[in-house]
Amino acid sequence: MRVSTLLTLAIGATFLTAPALAQNGNVAMGYFVTVESRDVPAFEAAAKRHVEFHRRQNDSWRWDAWAAVTGPAGTYAYISDGHSWADFDNPGVAPAADGADWANTAGKFTVTEEAMMWEMLPWGSRPPAESGPAMVQVFDYQVKPGKAQDLEHVIRKFTEAATAQNWPGRYLWERTVSTGEPQAYFVVVPHESWASFEPLETSGLEVLIAAYGQAEAQRLLDMFYASAEPIGSRIWAYRADLSYSP
């Protein structure tokens, strides 16, 4: 859903893509808004009216709505993922009409609005078999200058090891494509319930050790932290009532 003001994403802001790759590529567009706590009920009622606008327009794009569980209250995101770059030449709804309707509905209650684009790394991800998690936890990293290749090498090696060992952990690695330098990477971990936040029986480090031995596992771990600076993490809950599906 297009918001009325498109801003570049500050490096400290997070986001995720829904693990369901429902369309035809690996590129995602996300819009992030904040609302004063007192305006949350009015915002959500107006956001539902904007969903109906998309329905009347027969929008061919899916838009998943998420609300922040941790971090500042009144933070929401609208995500359309699974796109090719060519899709953005012909969006599901005319941007001008979309922006005008948003401004007259939910946009009346927003304090900030930001936009970003990113791409999923299929060779570095292990999506869940099922789609539509109830929650996701997102861990953000800022890549250090000249270290993107090293970071991606570690991501690839870990994913190869996790796949070979049939490790139960599931995740998506993403990288931003619209924020310039330094580039941000983030890993999205899907959760079906709060119980699923319990640590897995086998840790990620143990996966690396089993695949490559203690010395190489430590080298890869050191390479990871020499390549990326952790920014933080946030938990988001899926909001079906604020989402749109064709």
Side-chain angles (χ1 to χ4, degrees):
M1 297 180 176
R2 184 177 175 83
V3 293
S4 53
T5 305
L6 303 184
L7 305 175
T8 56
L9 182 74
I11 197 68
T14 64
F15 214 64
L16 52 120
T17 184
L21 301 178
Q23 300 183 61
N24 60 0
N26 295 320
V27 184
M29 170 69 82
Y31 295 102
F32 306 82
V33 303
T34 59
V35 181
E36 293 284 358
S37 296
R38 65 177 182 273
D39 292 329
V40 163
F43 167 80
E44 292 192 356
K48 291 174 184 178
R49 293 197 296 274
H50 188 60
V51 168
E52 292 307 311
F53 164 81
H54 281 259
R55 204 174 310 283
R56 292 193 303 272
Q57 297 295 311
N58 294 316
D59 189 356
S60 59
W61 288 18
R62 173 177 176 141
W63 289 93
D64 291 310
W66 300 82
V69 176
T70 59
T75 303
Y76 297 83
Y78 292 90
I79 311 297
S80 188
D81 67 347
H83 292 289
S84 69
W85 283 107
D87 289 346
F88 295 94
D89 291 322
N90 295 287
V93 171
D98 196 358
D101 187 82
W102 174 270
N104 287 322
T105 53
K108 291 181 178 180
F109 304 99
T110 60
V111 177
T112 64
E113 300 181 353
E114 299 175 307
M116 67 177 289
M117 299 177 74
W118 61 93
E119 59 183 342
M120 191 266 288
L121 307 179
W123 45 263
S125 300
R126 302 187 73 237
E130 69 284 353
S131 62
M135 292 176 283
V136 292
Q137 187 170 17
V138 183
F139 298 87
D140 300 308
Y141 298 88
Q142 178 179 313
V143 69
K144 297 178 181 179
K147 295 295 186 177
Q149 186 173 357
D150 286 352
L151 176 61
E152 293 189 4
H153 172 73
V154 178
I155 292 170
R156 186 186 296 272
K157 294 293 284 185
F158 178 82
T159 299
E160 289 173 353
T163 300
Q165 296 173 46
N166 198 27
W167 188 58
R170 298 292 170 172
Y171 55 87
L172 296 175
W173 271 100
E174 323 274 349
R175 64 185 172 201
T176 57
V177 295
S178 61
T179 58
E181 295 292 341
Q183 192 172 27
Y185 285 69
F186 45 97
V187 61
V188 181
V189 181
H191 291 280
E192 294 303 324
S193 66
W194 287 109
S196 68
F197 281 80
E198 291 285 352
L200 295 174
E201 185 175 341
T202 303
S203 70
L205 178 57
E206 289 171 323
V207 169
L208 286 175
I209 292 172
Y212 306 115
Q214 181 73 48
E216 179 63 6
Q218 187 61 53
R219 189 187 74 84
L220 289 169
L221 192 63
D222 291 344
M223 181 182 291
F224 180 88
Y225 286 110
S227 303
E229 186 73 28
I231 299 172
S233 69
R234 184 173 292 186
I235 298 171
W236 300 80
Y238 182 64
R239 290 292 302 272
D241 58 325
L242 303 179
S243 298
Y244 169 77
S245 182

